Amino acid sequence: MMKTLVVKHANSPTSYPIFIEQGLLKNLFWLPKHIQQIVIITDNKVKKLYAQNLLKSLQKTKKKVLLLSFPSGEKAKNYQMKHKLEQKILSKHFDRDAFILALGGGVVGDIAGFIAATYMRGISYIQIPTTLLAMVDSSIGGKTSINTSLGKNLIGAFWHPSSVIIDLHCLKTLPQKHLINGLIEALKIFIIYDKNSFQFFEKNIHDILNGEAASHQIIFSAIRLKSQIVTQDEREKHLRSILNFGHTIGHALETLSNYRLLHGIAVGYGILVESKISEILGMLSRADYFKISQLLMKLGIHPKKLKTFNLQKIIALTQLDKKAKEEKAKYVLLKKIGKIHHKSKQFAFDVPNKVIEHAFFAVSEMTNAGK
Ligand code: GLY
């Protein structure tokens, strides 16, 4: 049965629906009737899987449609690619009434959303996430961006989609490592905001990895929680920054791996280190750290892998992160599972390098028993 959530930002007129159901790419009820010009932006993998069929369905409606695709992967999310795609759209004379359909994973959503934000000073777009990571995180909340050689997502804009279409059927073609990539972002939301969902994840990990019903429940809970957080803080001035838990270290690892490490996997390692920092600072209990690390290990996050990274390079990159202030990296810290540490409206904090070093070595020396 179709589930619908509405993202309604506090103190702002912005509001848009999220539709969740199997088969939404076949039933185009969500496409506003008045749209006459459509640009589908996708990557080369999703083009074959879904975009060509979507193009055919749209062509039957006699609308003007353009399908653009680019190589899949985070490396394509750059200035040059944005420019190339924009030139193609301009050369086909799409005007400011055009609509973009961002069909794909987080990379497609980010670059297509950023094109929508700037094309003719801003046009409408619809997020159609096809990966679990994009469904539970990047398609919701209006963040759009590209990467630069100095770091991830450093250039971008807040630009909200007019709707988010989640066709759960797309998960059937998703490779296991991409499923885990998305599950880690869902788990992150539970760790920072909802103990009950964390416990559900813990109890049902086997079914989540293998069966549909449990994973659908996880997806719905993660989307509901993410929507609740972003609606309270549209532009990440306070509460929304808790979504960056695991990301200060995670983004640095992703950049250092030259994007060979998938985003969610990098965030998994980031969660391990940042939970350990919280434990060392006396905020998080050892028991909660143990539960988090055990669950991550079941998802294939093996602490020893951290040894392959140079900690000083990680620390240097965290200072360039867009969450950094005056070149000081900021960390979201955990109080217990389901609750982050905050001081009135401050949700991210400086951490001395010594504590980061201690946490990093403690995690990378950790055995599978999690000690
Ligand atoms: N992905 C974090 C956020 O949307 O704020």
Side-chain angles (χ1 to χ4, degrees), residues 293-314:
S293 58
Q294 288 301 297
L295 203 43
L296 283 167
M297 279 192 230
K298 287 185 185 155
L299 293 171
I301 302 299
H302 299 299
K304 284 198 166 35
K305 179 155 178 141
L306 281 171
K307 285 187 178 172
T308 59
F309 289 93
N310 177 319
L311 178 59
Q312 294 317 317
K313 286 190 182 162
I314 296 176

PDB file of all heavy atoms in Angstrom, residues 293-314:
ATOM      1  N   SER A 293      29.141  -0.909  17.788  1.00  0.00           N
ATOM      2  CA  SER A 293      30.247  -1.500  17.019  1.00  0.00           C
ATOM      3  C   SER A 293      29.900  -2.915  16.577  1.00  0.00           C
ATOM      4  O   SER A 293      30.232  -3.320  15.464  1.00  0.00           O
ATOM      5  CB  SER A 293      31.559  -1.445  17.808  1.00  0.00           C
ATOM      6  OG  SER A 293      31.412  -2.127  19.023  1.00  0.00           O
ATOM      7  N   GLN A 294      29.176  -3.652  17.412  1.00  0.00           N
ATOM      8  CA  GLN A 294      28.790  -5.020  17.023  1.00  0.00           C
ATOM      9  C   GLN A 294      27.887  -5.004  15.792  1.00  0.00           C
ATOM     10  O   GLN A 294      28.039  -5.801  14.875  1.00  0.00           O
ATOM     11  CB  GLN A 294      28.043  -5.703  18.176  1.00  0.00           C
ATOM     12  CG  GLN A 294      28.929  -6.085  19.330  1.00  0.00           C
ATOM     13  CD  GLN A 294      30.050  -7.040  18.912  1.00  0.00           C
ATOM     14  OE1 GLN A 294      29.801  -8.145  18.480  1.00  0.00           O
ATOM     15  NE2 GLN A 294      31.277  -6.573  19.003  1.00  0.00           N
ATOM     16  N   LEU A 295      26.947  -4.081  15.804  1.00  0.00           N
ATOM     17  CA  LEU A 295      26.000  -4.020  14.680  1.00  0.00           C
ATOM     18  C   LEU A 295      26.735  -3.617  13.395  1.00  0.00           C
ATOM     19  O   LEU A 295      26.504  -4.176  12.319  1.00  0.00           O
ATOM     20  CB  LEU A 295      24.896  -3.011  15.033  1.00  0.00           C
ATOM     21  CG  LEU A 295      23.564  -3.145  14.341  1.00  0.00           C
ATOM     22  CD1 LEU A 295      23.104  -4.581  14.252  1.00  0.00           C
ATOM     23  CD2 LEU A 295      22.501  -2.316  15.071  1.00  0.00           C
ATOM     24  N   LEU A 296      27.641  -2.654  13.522  1.00  0.00           N
ATOM     25  CA  LEU A 296      28.403  -2.225  12.334  1.00  0.00           C
ATOM     26  C   LEU A 296      29.273  -3.364  11.801  1.00  0.00           C
ATOM     27  O   LEU A 296      29.400  -3.546  10.590  1.00  0.00           O
ATOM     28  CB  LEU A 296      29.260  -0.997  12.663  1.00  0.00           C
ATOM     29  CG  LEU A 296      28.474   0.309  12.734  1.00  0.00           C
ATOM     30  CD1 LEU A 296      29.300   1.413  13.367  1.00  0.00           C
ATOM     31  CD2 LEU A 296      27.993   0.744  11.341  1.00  0.00           C
ATOM     32  N   MET A 297      29.827  -4.131  12.705  1.00  0.00           N
ATOM     33  CA  MET A 297      30.668  -5.264  12.245  1.00  0.00           C
ATOM     34  C   MET A 297      29.818  -6.265  11.479  1.00  0.00           C
ATOM     35  O   MET A 297      30.260  -6.839  10.494  1.00  0.00           O
ATOM     36  CB  MET A 297      31.364  -5.914  13.423  1.00  0.00           C
ATOM     37  CG  MET A 297      32.595  -5.145  13.843  1.00  0.00           C
ATOM     38  SD  MET A 297      33.565  -6.134  14.978  1.00  0.00           S
ATOM     39  CE  MET A 297      33.809  -4.996  16.268  1.00  0.00           C
ATOM     40  N   LYS A 298      28.561  -6.445  11.937  1.00  0.00           N
ATOM     41  CA  LYS A 298      27.671  -7.364  11.205  1.00  0.00           C
ATOM     42  C   LYS A 298      27.365  -6.840   9.808  1.00  0.00           C
ATOM     43  O   LYS A 298      26.985  -7.581   8.922  1.00  0.00           O
ATOM     44  CB  LYS A 298      26.368  -7.578  11.990  1.00  0.00           C
ATOM     45  CG  LYS A 298      26.585  -8.448  13.197  1.00  0.00           C
ATOM     46  CD  LYS A 298      25.290  -8.762  13.914  1.00  0.00           C
ATOM     47  CE  LYS A 298      25.599  -9.528  15.194  1.00  0.00           C
ATOM     48  NZ  LYS A 298      24.595  -9.386  16.218  1.00  0.00           N
ATOM     49  N   LEU A 299      27.532  -5.532   9.638  1.00  0.00           N
ATOM     50  CA  LEU A 299      27.306  -4.949   8.303  1.00  0.00           C
ATOM     51  C   LEU A 299      28.622  -4.855   7.514  1.00  0.00           C
ATOM     52  O   LEU A 299      28.684  -4.218   6.467  1.00  0.00           O
ATOM     53  CB  LEU A 299      26.670  -3.554   8.441  1.00  0.00           C
ATOM     54  CG  LEU A 299      25.250  -3.536   9.005  1.00  0.00           C
ATOM     55  CD1 LEU A 299      24.804  -2.114   9.292  1.00  0.00           C
ATOM     56  CD2 LEU A 299      24.270  -4.200   8.059  1.00  0.00           C
ATOM     57  N   GLY A 300      29.679  -5.473   8.057  1.00  0.00           N
ATOM     58  CA  GLY A 300      30.943  -5.536   7.297  1.00  0.00           C
ATOM     59  C   GLY A 300      31.887  -4.375   7.546  1.00  0.00           C
ATOM     60  O   GLY A 300      32.813  -4.158   6.767  1.00  0.00           O
ATOM     61  N   ILE A 301      31.653  -3.605   8.615  1.00  0.00           N
ATOM     62  CA  ILE A 301      32.568  -2.506   8.933  1.00  0.00           C
ATOM     63  C   ILE A 301      33.627  -3.055   9.897  1.00  0.00           C
ATOM     64  O   ILE A 301      33.374  -3.190  11.096  1.00  0.00           O
ATOM     65  CB  ILE A 301      31.792  -1.315   9.569  1.00  0.00           C
ATOM     66  CG1 ILE A 301      30.707  -0.828   8.617  1.00  0.00           C
ATOM     67  CG2 ILE A 301      32.719  -0.165   9.955  1.00  0.00           C
ATOM     68  CD1 ILE A 301      31.207  -0.316   7.285  1.00  0.00           C
ATOM     69  N   HIS A 302      34.778  -3.399   9.350  1.00  0.00           N
ATOM     70  CA  HIS A 302      35.821  -4.038  10.156  1.00  0.00           C
ATOM     71  C   HIS A 302      36.834  -2.992  10.599  1.00  0.00           C
ATOM     72  O   HIS A 302      37.552  -2.433   9.768  1.00  0.00           O
ATOM     73  CB  HIS A 302      36.479  -5.168   9.376  1.00  0.00           C
ATOM     74  CG  HIS A 302      35.491  -6.239   9.009  1.00  0.00           C
ATOM     75  ND1 HIS A 302      34.801  -6.953   9.974  1.00  0.00           N
ATOM     76  CD2 HIS A 302      35.028  -6.657   7.812  1.00  0.00           C
ATOM     77  CE1 HIS A 302      33.975  -7.785   9.378  1.00  0.00           C
ATOM     78  NE2 HIS A 302      34.082  -7.618   8.060  1.00  0.00           N
ATOM     79  N   PRO A 303      36.906  -2.738  11.911  1.00  0.00           N
ATOM     80  CA  PRO A 303      37.732  -1.641  12.439  1.00  0.00           C
ATOM     81  C   PRO A 303      39.177  -1.646  11.952  1.00  0.00           C
ATOM     82  O   PRO A 303      39.764  -0.598  11.736  1.00  0.00           O
ATOM     83  CB  PRO A 303      37.677  -1.848  13.949  1.00  0.00           C
ATOM     84  CG  PRO A 303      36.564  -2.777  14.200  1.00  0.00           C
ATOM     85  CD  PRO A 303      36.208  -3.477  12.958  1.00  0.00           C
ATOM     86  N   LYS A 304      39.733  -2.847  11.756  1.00  0.00           N
ATOM     87  CA  LYS A 304      41.155  -2.916  11.365  1.00  0.00           C
ATOM     88  C   LYS A 304      41.434  -2.193  10.053  1.00  0.00           C
ATOM     89  O   LYS A 304      42.539  -1.737   9.797  1.00  0.00           O
ATOM     90  CB  LYS A 304      41.583  -4.376  11.256  1.00  0.00           C
ATOM     91  CG  LYS A 304      41.796  -5.015  12.612  1.00  0.00           C
ATOM     92  CD  LYS A 304      42.627  -6.280  12.503  1.00  0.00           C
ATOM     93  CE  LYS A 304      43.142  -6.768  13.831  1.00  0.00           C
ATOM     94  NZ  LYS A 304      42.279  -6.569  14.985  1.00  0.00           N
ATOM     95  N   LYS A 305      40.439  -2.064   9.220  1.00  0.00           N
ATOM     96  CA  LYS A 305      40.641  -1.396   7.923  1.00  0.00           C
ATOM     97  C   LYS A 305      41.114   0.056   8.112  1.00  0.00           C
ATOM     98  O   LYS A 305      41.768   0.641   7.243  1.00  0.00           O
ATOM     99  CB  LYS A 305      39.335  -1.443   7.120  1.00  0.00           C
ATOM    100  CG  LYS A 305      39.487  -0.751   5.809  1.00  0.00           C
ATOM    101  CD  LYS A 305      38.562  -1.211   4.753  1.00  0.00           C
ATOM    102  CE  LYS A 305      38.896  -0.320   3.563  1.00  0.00           C
ATOM    103  NZ  LYS A 305      38.900  -0.833   2.333  1.00  0.00           N
ATOM    104  N   LEU A 306      40.753   0.633   9.265  1.00  0.00           N
ATOM    105  CA  LEU A 306      41.159   2.026   9.520  1.00  0.00           C
ATOM    106  C   LEU A 306      42.677   2.190   9.502  1.00  0.00           C
ATOM    107  O   LEU A 306      43.196   3.263   9.227  1.00  0.00           O
ATOM    108  CB  LEU A 306      40.611   2.489  10.877  1.00  0.00           C
ATOM    109  CG  LEU A 306      39.135   2.887  10.885  1.00  0.00           C
ATOM    110  CD1 LEU A 306      38.663   3.100  12.308  1.00  0.00           C
ATOM    111  CD2 LEU A 306      38.904   4.154  10.063  1.00  0.00           C
ATOM    112  N   LYS A 307      43.383   1.089   9.797  1.00  0.00           N
ATOM    113  CA  LYS A 307      44.856   1.160   9.823  1.00  0.00           C
ATOM    114  C   LYS A 307      45.429   1.515   8.464  1.00  0.00           C
ATOM    115  O   LYS A 307      46.567   1.936   8.359  1.00  0.00           O
ATOM    116  CB  LYS A 307      45.420  -0.194  10.238  1.00  0.00           C
ATOM    117  CG  LYS A 307      45.290  -0.489  11.690  1.00  0.00           C
ATOM    118  CD  LYS A 307      46.033  -1.771  11.999  1.00  0.00           C
ATOM    119  CE  LYS A 307      45.971  -2.065  13.462  1.00  0.00           C
ATOM    120  NZ  LYS A 307      46.487  -3.344  13.809  1.00  0.00           N
ATOM    121  N   THR A 308      44.659   1.312   7.400  1.00  0.00           N
ATOM    122  CA  THR A 308      45.186   1.601   6.060  1.00  0.00           C
ATOM    123  C   THR A 308      45.138   3.102   5.752  1.00  0.00           C
ATOM    124  O   THR A 308      45.565   3.532   4.696  1.00  0.00           O
ATOM    125  CB  THR A 308      44.405   0.820   4.974  1.00  0.00           C
ATOM    126  OG1 THR A 308      43.029   1.215   5.060  1.00  0.00           O
ATOM    127  CG2 THR A 308      44.523  -0.676   5.132  1.00  0.00           C
ATOM    128  N   PHE A 309      44.580   3.892   6.684  1.00  0.00           N
ATOM    129  CA  PHE A 309      44.496   5.343   6.448  1.00  0.00           C
ATOM    130  C   PHE A 309      45.497   6.093   7.331  1.00  0.00           C
ATOM    131  O   PHE A 309      45.778   5.664   8.455  1.00  0.00           O
ATOM    132  CB  PHE A 309      43.084   5.853   6.761  1.00  0.00           C
ATOM    133  CG  PHE A 309      42.075   5.407   5.740  1.00  0.00           C
ATOM    134  CD1 PHE A 309      41.340   4.242   5.934  1.00  0.00           C
ATOM    135  CD2 PHE A 309      41.873   6.134   4.577  1.00  0.00           C
ATOM    136  CE1 PHE A 309      40.427   3.817   4.987  1.00  0.00           C
ATOM    137  CE2 PHE A 309      40.963   5.718   3.626  1.00  0.00           C
ATOM    138  CZ  PHE A 309      40.239   4.558   3.832  1.00  0.00           C
ATOM    139  N   ASN A 310      45.977   7.226   6.803  1.00  0.00           N
ATOM    140  CA  ASN A 310      46.913   8.056   7.555  1.00  0.00           C
ATOM    141  C   ASN A 310      46.117   9.072   8.391  1.00  0.00           C
ATOM    142  O   ASN A 310      45.414   9.924   7.849  1.00  0.00           O
ATOM    143  CB  ASN A 310      47.821   8.763   6.536  1.00  0.00           C
ATOM    144  CG  ASN A 310      48.779   9.716   7.205  1.00  0.00           C
ATOM    145  OD1 ASN A 310      48.424  10.440   8.131  1.00  0.00           O
ATOM    146  ND2 ASN A 310      50.008   9.708   6.729  1.00  0.00           N
ATOM    147  N   LEU A 311      46.240   8.929   9.704  1.00  0.00           N
ATOM    148  CA  LEU A 311      45.418   9.751  10.600  1.00  0.00           C
ATOM    149  C   LEU A 311      45.681  11.254  10.434  1.00  0.00           C
ATOM    150  O   LEU A 311      44.751  12.054  10.501  1.00  0.00           O
ATOM    151  CB  LEU A 311      45.647   9.322  12.057  1.00  0.00           C
ATOM    152  CG  LEU A 311      44.876  10.126  13.091  1.00  0.00           C
ATOM    153  CD1 LEU A 311      43.367  10.038  12.855  1.00  0.00           C
ATOM    154  CD2 LEU A 311      45.189   9.651  14.492  1.00  0.00           C
ATOM    155  N   GLN A 312      46.942  11.633  10.218  1.00  0.00           N
ATOM    156  CA  GLN A 312      47.214  13.077  10.088  1.00  0.00           C
ATOM    157  C   GLN A 312      46.527  13.648   8.851  1.00  0.00           C
ATOM    158  O   GLN A 312      46.025  14.778   8.856  1.00  0.00           O
ATOM    159  CB  GLN A 312      48.733  13.351  10.060  1.00  0.00           C
ATOM    160  CG  GLN A 312      49.439  13.014  11.377  1.00  0.00           C
ATOM    161  CD  GLN A 312      48.654  13.481  12.617  1.00  0.00           C
ATOM    162  OE1 GLN A 312      48.111  14.589  12.674  1.00  0.00           O
ATOM    163  NE2 GLN A 312      48.561  12.611  13.624  1.00  0.00           N
ATOM    164  N   LYS A 313      46.471  12.847   7.785  1.00  0.00           N
ATOM    165  CA  LYS A 313      45.763  13.306   6.580  1.00  0.00           C
ATOM    166  C   LYS A 313      44.257  13.405   6.848  1.00  0.00           C
ATOM    167  O   LYS A 313      43.586  14.312   6.368  1.00  0.00           O
ATOM    168  CB  LYS A 313      46.010  12.345   5.409  1.00  0.00           C
ATOM    169  CG  LYS A 313      47.396  12.454   4.824  1.00  0.00           C
ATOM    170  CD  LYS A 313      47.482  11.660   3.542  1.00  0.00           C
ATOM    171  CE  LYS A 313      48.899  11.737   2.979  1.00  0.00           C
ATOM    172  NZ  LYS A 313      49.179  10.687   2.002  1.00  0.00           N
ATOM    173  N   ILE A 314      43.743  12.465   7.621  1.00  0.00           N
ATOM    174  CA  ILE A 314      42.311  12.512   7.970  1.00  0.00           C
ATOM    175  C   ILE A 314      42.034  13.808   8.741  1.00  0.00           C
ATOM    176  O   ILE A 314      41.110  14.564   8.412  1.00  0.00           O
ATOM    177  CB  ILE A 314      41.897  11.291   8.846  1.00  0.00           C
ATOM    178  CG1 ILE A 314      42.062   9.997   8.058  1.00  0.00           C
ATOM    179  CG2 ILE A 314      40.454  11.437   9.334  1.00  0.00           C
ATOM    180  CD1 ILE A 314      41.762   8.741   8.872  1.00  0.00           C
TER     181      ILE A 314
END
